[in-house]
Amino acid sequence: MGRMAQISSPDVDQELEQLLQNQSRLNSPWRTIVWNDPVNLMSYVVYVFRSYFGFAEDKANRLMLAVHHEGKAIVAQGTREEMERHVQAMHEYGLWATLDRAEL
């Protein structure tokens, strides 16, 4: 038996390129954003940041103040799947949170 010929065509090459671009987008960094809300106390937001993310008190306070004064804070960055878990956890704590693709 002879060698298998490598199959290549413009359509296959284009499809492969599209798959690689999609994979790159999935692997690009994402971030978890916590938004200001009229319900939760500042002390509770610090508690959530410390207990869930394990932040030191000063970092948790800085992030909480960013949420309070600027309306939002980026609290984590990583894969989309990780950030989806963080957003879900923030919702379970009663905080407003979303995920967004990080700017490169």
Side-chain angles (χ1 to χ4, degrees):
M1 294 228 176
R3 292 172 134 172
M4 288 187 63
Q6 183 177 2
I7 300 173
S8 183
S9 74
D11 290 339
V12 171
D13 292 342
Q14 186 177 11
E15 188 173 323
L16 179 59
E17 180 65 28
Q18 184 65 38
L19 287 170
L20 291 173
Q21 286 176 359
N22 288 342
Q23 184 65 35
S24 177
R25 269 188 235 126
L26 290 174
N27 290 334
S28 68
W30 288 75
R31 58 191 180 185
T32 298
I33 303 169
V34 173
W35 299 85
N36 194 22
D37 67 61
V39 177
N40 292 295
L41 297 174
M42 292 187 287
S43 59
Y44 178 69
V45 175
V46 170
Y47 164 77
V48 171
F49 290 168
R50 293 196 72 202
S51 62
Y52 178 77
F53 291 106
F55 293 150
E57 187 170 355
D58 62 329
K59 182 173 183 173
N61 276 309
R62 277 196 316 274
L63 289 169
M64 174 277 298
L65 287 173
V67 170
H68 182 69
H69 293 294
E70 299 167 30
K72 66 179 181 178
I74 298 167
V75 296
Q77 185 168 308
T79 66
R80 182 175 180 140
E81 186 175 288
E82 291 171 320
M83 297 308 102
E84 287 174 345
R85 281 195 301 268
H86 291 331
V87 167
Q88 181 63 38
M90 294 300 97
H91 291 172
E92 290 171 3
Y93 277 103
L95 301 183
W96 293 355
T98 58
L99 75 142
D100 187 13
R101 185 168 307 155
E103 298 170 6
L104 298 176

